Amino acid sequence: MANWIFLTCYALIIGHELDAIHQKEWRIFPGTNLLPDQLGFQVFNALHVPLFILLNWLFFLSTPAVMTAAKFWFALFAIAHIGAHWLYRNHKEYRFNNPLSKFLIWAPGVFGALYLAITF
């Protein structure tokens, strides 16, 4: 059961990252917000490839101890991610105001909390 809850948290974050591209999150994200728009999009998008390779390795291909620790920290991240969006909610480029975007921000945090509650 815990594995399904974690996978749901992870899948929801991936969904959020797809939405983040649609919502032009690079215009908010520190670093990419300083780049010209097209370059910011390209960098933001391209950085997700090694990020997801690393996360998939940590969650599914590393040692059991590393997998456990990585899932713990990712679940905490999913919760803290809600706070990050709350902090940036008044940024002039913030576009995560529709129901799907809000769901894809909140739901991973809920599943991350649930995962932590039943696992640790």
Side-chain angles (χ1 to χ4, degrees):
M1 178 67 130
N3 285 331
W4 285 106
I5 291 169
F6 180 80
L7 284 173
T8 303
C9 174
Y10 186 43
L12 287 163
I13 285 286
I14 292 170
H16 167 69
E17 292 308 312
L18 293 170
D19 186 49
I21 290 171
H22 179 69
Q23 303 300 345
K24 303 177 192 273
E25 190 174 33
W26 65 87
R27 293 178 177 174
I28 302 166
F29 207 77
T32 54
N33 66 336
L34 302 173
L35 300 172
D37 200 45
Q38 185 61 25
L39 181 59
F41 159 73
Q42 292 170 346
V43 169
F44 184 81
N45 199 352
L47 287 175
H48 283 80
V49 174
L51 172 64
F52 283 116
I53 290 170
L54 175 63
L55 290 175
N56 283 317
W57 178 80
L58 287 169
F59 300 152
F60 309 115
L61 300 173
S62 61
T63 66
V66 171
M67 284 187 228
T68 299
K71 289 176 180 181
F72 171 82
W73 288 107
F74 188 82
L76 281 180
F77 164 78
I79 297 165
H81 178 258
I82 296 168
H85 275 271
W86 184 81
L87 288 173
Y88 281 97
R89 73 192 184 285
N90 293 321
H91 189 283
K92 68 179 180 164
E93 295 290 344
Y94 191 84
R95 298 172 182 211
F96 296 91
N97 297 314
N98 63 76
L100 177 61
S101 293
K102 289 179 182 183
F103 172 78
L104 291 171
I105 291 165
W106 283 89
V110 170
F111 277 88
L114 184 58
Y115 175 75
L116 292 175
I118 67 170
T119 306
F120 294 98

